[in-house]
Structures are given as C-alpha cells and as structure tokens.
C-alpha cells in the first residue's frame, strides 16, 4: 500500500477552505493509502502562540480530523512534536537548502510582511524544510493539500532529489494531490482573495465551528457575479464558481451536474440551497466533533505517536548511515 501524509497547523479555528481543500480529500483517500495525519505544532510556533491556546488547539485539530471521518483504527493521527525525528531531519534538510530557495516562497513573503516591525523569524524562513522532513520521514508517496501548499511541495521534491543525488537513494519523491475544483476556496465577500482565518471580516469565511444559522446567513450574503447564470468559470465568474466548488465538495455532485441542475434557476434559489447544505453539514459535523472528549483524543494521539515514531526511527537510521554520521 502506498503512503499518504498531510498535516494542519494548530493555530486557531479551521474554516471551510481547510476542510474542502485538504481534509475532505483525506477522508476520501484513507481507504486507498496507508495514511498519516499530523497536527504540525512545530509549524504553528513559527509565529507567536499563547501556550494555553496552543495546547487546546492541538487537541481541537485532532478532533476535527476525527469529526471529518478519519478512522483512527486505520490512519495514524499524531502530534508532530511527539516524534522528534521531524526536527532532526528538518535540520539535515536545511543543510542542503539554499537561503534563496526559501526566500522565494510566497507564504514566507506574505508572512514576513505581517512581521514588519521586528522582521520575520528564522523559523518562518525554514518552515518548508521542516515540512519536507514531515513528508520524507515516512517515505510518503502522496500529499493531499490545498493550492497554497503546492510551492512548498515543489521545493520538497527538489530537496528529495538533491538529497538522493548527494547521498544515494534514500527518500521517495512525493506527488502532490490537489482538488480540481476547491483547491483554493475564496473569501465569500471577495472572490479575488482566498478564504482565510486571518481575514478581518468574519463574513468572508465560514468556520467549521460557526453556528449553522450564522453560516446560512453568510452564504446568503456572499457576493455573486453580474449576470444571473450559474456557470463554472473561475476567471470570468469567480464568485459563483467559488460557490459551485463549495456546493460540489459538500454534496459530492460534480460541478457539471450542478450546472445542469441550476440551469434555469436564479442565484437566489441556488444560494438558498447551498446555505441549507452548508448549515446541515455544519450541524452534523459539530455533533460528531462534540462526541470526542479530550481524554479520548489524547489516547488516539499517543497511540499514533508510537506508530509514527517507529517508522521515523527506521528512516533516520538509513539517513544517518547514508550521511556518514554513523
Ligand atoms: P493551514 O491552515 O494554513 O495549516 O492550512 C491547512 C490546509 O488547508 C492546507 O492544505 C492548505 O492548503 C488548505 N487551505 C487553507 N486555506 C485554503 C483555502 N482557502 N482553500 C483551499 N484550501 C485551503
Ligand atoms: N505547511 C502546511 C500548511 O501551512 C502544513 C504542513 C506542515 C503540511 N507539514 C506538512 C502539509 C506536510 C502537508 C504535508 O498548511
């Protein structure tokens, strides 16, 4: 069986973009792959976190994985900092990475801009090498992520090949998996910007823990395009295309099917149906979310850490041998 790895940072509430772009793909793929789903806490601390909030967020992200339908009997769910090999391999990969390659990353440039006053930390710059380590430690074949992580994955592939060339074949070169529609869910109030939890306006995103009725209102208020045609065309009709991508991901109906279904319908009717779909999805999701106690989540993370650690130790033995350090 091929191996799949993905992860999310515990840094605040997740939104529908995270769910559609990343997590919903995971649940769909978990039968086909040996899966590892990581709560990447050492990535979260590349920007300042409050320790108490971080501790809670780690459990909450794992709870989201479970509520989304990841089966802990089949997949490994674990916390990055529980497996110290991640940072160990991250260091090693730093030694084969050029500073210029890291400075080119758009996520780094965006985040560096946010840290204008004091300047970006070294952790923000080195973030992609830790991400590459996460992936390479498990000889990962596929990495399902949202569109904004594709550049990091390209760098991971480059570093993999460079390591294998320098030190002999050690790692598998991973493939990126992104959704055809929904890899980049856009803000509801501005389809030129991606849906993001750091947005100033709460109307721009739907948090997975939003009250279903609040989410319903947000969809009804979402901006649409000038004509009244329900057609998927992200360049010319960005707003309605975004809503179609959300509808398709949550209903398992293809965009094509939806276009036919709503051929003679108005934006108003379409948005009412989508608002109900989103509200129902959230109601069911939140009911499952509440079922997992902290104790239960911790137990699952501990079990996952043991399994991941055993795999990571094996990889590090090979890495150290090939490097010539033992
Ligand atoms: P983050 O919250 O940045 O750790 O992102 C977690 C996952 O969600 C990554 O795979 C991202 O690519 C994905 N993601 C974040 N925002 C969006 C969005 N607006 N649309 C689709 N995927 C997203
Ligand atoms: N960098 C990813 C994000 O910001 C999170 C992440 C860390 C990740 N390590 C990973 C995703 C490994 C996939 C594989 O969303």
């Amino acid at each position: 069986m091929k191996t799949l790895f993905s992860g999310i940072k515990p840094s605040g509430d997740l939104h529908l973009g995270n769910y559609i772009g990343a997590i919903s793909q995971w649940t769909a793929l978990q039968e086909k792959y040996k899966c590892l789903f990581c709560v990447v806490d050492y990535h979260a601390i590349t920007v300042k976190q409050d320790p108490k909030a971080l501790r809670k967020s780690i459990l909450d992200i794992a709870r989201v994985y479970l509520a989304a339908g990841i089966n802990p009997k089949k997949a490994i769910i674990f916390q990055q900092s529980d497996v110290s090999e991640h940072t160990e391999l991250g260091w090693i990969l730093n030694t084969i990475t050029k500073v210029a390659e890291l400075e080119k990353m758009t996520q780094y440039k965006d985040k560096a801009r946010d840290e204008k006053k004091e300047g970006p930390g070294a952790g923000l710059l080195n973030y992609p090498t830790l991400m590459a380590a996460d992936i390479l430690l498990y000889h990962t074949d596929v990495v399902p992520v949202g569109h904004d992580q594709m550049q990091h994955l390209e760098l991971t592939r480059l570093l993999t090949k460079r390591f294998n060339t320098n030190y002999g074949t050690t790692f598998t070169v991973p493939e990126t998996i992104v959704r055809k529609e929904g890899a980049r869910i856009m803000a509801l109030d501005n389809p030129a910007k991606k849906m993001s939890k750091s947005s100033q306006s709460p109307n721009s995103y739907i948090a997975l823990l939003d009250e279903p009725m609040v989410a319903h209102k947000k969809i009804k208020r979402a901006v649409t395009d000038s004509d009244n045609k329900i057609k998927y065309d992200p360049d010319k009709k960005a707003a309605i295309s975004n809503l179609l991508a959300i509808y398709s991901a949550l209903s398992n109906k293809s965009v094509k099917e939806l276009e036919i279904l709503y051929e003679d319908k108005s934006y108003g009717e379409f948005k009412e149906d989508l608002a109900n779909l989103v509200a129902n999805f959230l109601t069911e999701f939140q009911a499952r979310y509440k079922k997992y106690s902290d104790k239960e989540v911790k137990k699952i993370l501990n079990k996952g850490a043991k399994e991941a650690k055993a795999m990571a130790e094996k990889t590090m033995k090979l890495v150290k041998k090939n490097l010539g350090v033992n």
Side-chain angles (χ1 to χ4, degrees):
M1 221 180 193
K2 290 192 165 184
T3 303
L4 178 155
F5 185 100
S6 198
I8 294 184
K9 298 187 292 286
S11 53
D13 291 339
L14 296 187
H15 54 72
L16 213 50
N18 299 123
Y19 177 77
I20 293 174
I23 307 166
S24 71
Q25 295 200 82
W26 306 355
T27 54
L29 294 167
Q30 66 178 333
E31 304 296 331
K32 267 180 59 191
Y33 293 91
K34 173 165 185 58
C35 293
L36 296 111
F37 299 113
C38 190
V39 180
V40 288
D41 48 358
Y42 278 165
H43 277 94
I45 60 165
T46 53
V47 296
K48 196 155 181 253
Q49 303 289 339
D50 166 53
K52 215 170 132 208
L54 179 60
R55 196 169 290 120
K56 176 174 184 309
S57 194
I58 290 165
L59 296 182
D60 286 348
I61 297 284
R63 212 185 323 266
V64 166
Y65 294 179
L66 294 163
I70 303 296
N71 180 352
K73 292 207 173 82
K74 289 190 183 149
I76 298 176
I77 301 176
F78 75 108
Q79 184 180 337
Q80 185 184 31
S81 61
D82 278 342
V83 181
S84 52
E85 283 76 5
H86 286 249
T87 39
E88 192 178 358
L89 182 58
W91 170 256
I92 293 166
L93 294 177
N94 269 328
T95 66
I96 61 158
T97 308
K98 307 287 165 217
V99 172
E101 286 167 338
L102 296 170
E103 283 172 339
K104 252 192 0 210
M105 296 291 113
T106 48
Q107 186 167 312
Y108 169 71
K109 289 194 264 185
D110 289 347
K111 300 238 164 159
R113 224 171 287 134
D114 297 342
E115 312 277 329
K116 232 182 284 159
K117 249 197 245 146
E118 296 178 31
L124 266 186
L125 182 67
N126 291 319
Y127 182 111
T129 53
L130 180 59
M131 178 163 167
D134 298 341
I135 296 165
L136 298 189
L137 261 185
Y138 303 98
H139 301 293
T140 301
D141 296 287
V142 296
V143 185
V145 281
H147 181 274
D148 61 0
Q149 295 304 311
M150 287 175 77
Q151 195 185 27
H152 288 157
L153 260 300
E154 272 317 304
L155 180 61
T156 300
R157 289 163 55 81
L158 183 78
L159 296 178
T160 312
K161 290 175 197 159
R162 188 176 295 160
F163 191 98
N164 286 347
T165 304
N166 292 358
Y167 296 109
T169 304
T170 311
F171 297 120
T172 307
V173 183
E175 301 290 334
T176 312
I177 301 186
V178 291
R179 269 181 175 280
K180 189 156 145 276
E181 295 112 4
R184 198 158 187 261
I185 297 296
M186 310 309 280
L188 297 175
D189 58 351
N190 179 0
K193 275 196 179 149
K194 79 169 183 178
M195 185 178 283
S196 155
K197 57 195 161 203
S198 57
S199 164
Q200 299 298 326
S201 140
N203 277 334
S204 72
Y205 65 91
I206 290 176
L208 290 176
L209 298 180
D210 266 353
E211 283 291 334
M213 279 327 287
V214 171
H216 190 283
K217 280 204 192 92
K218 289 184 184 177
I219 294 283
K220 291 300 287 276
R221 278 203 204 115
V223 298
T224 42
D225 309 294
S226 51
D227 65 9
N228 211 14
K229 284 253 164 318
I230 294 153
K231 269 236 152 294
Y232 188 81
D233 183 347
D235 295 330
K236 294 199 192 102
K237 292 169 68 68
I240 207 73
S241 299
N242 189 41
L243 297 181
L244 273 166
I246 296 173
Y247 199 140
S248 170
L250 296 186
S251 66
N252 284 322
K253 288 194 176 79
S254 71
V255 164
K256 265 266 145 312
E257 282 173 73
L258 292 172
E259 283 177 343
I260 294 166
L261 203 59
Y262 287 96
E263 202 171 2
D264 302 315
K265 304 250 169 73
S266 67
Y267 281 163
E269 287 167 284
F270 173 78
K271 285 213 283 187
E272 177 64 27
D273 288 353
L274 177 58
N276 287 330
L277 180 69
V278 169
N280 286 338
F281 164 76
L282 291 182
T283 304
E284 285 168 20
F285 175 84
Q286 290 166 13
R288 290 192 299 270
Y289 182 88
K290 284 186 199 124
K291 272 201 335 219
Y292 293 96
S293 66
D294 281 0
K295 198 171 151 212
E296 217 171 328
V297 174
K298 280 182 193 162
K299 209 171 130 199
I300 289 168
L301 287 174
N302 285 336
K303 174 174 162 276
K306 285 201 188 93
E307 292 171 2
K309 179 98 185 160
M311 293 169 76
E313 278 175 347
K314 235 169 110 187
T315 306
M316 281 314 292
K317 269 208 182 114
L318 177 67
V319 171
K320 286 182 167 180
K321 181 170 147 272
N322 290 357
L323 272 175
V325 297
N326 85 1

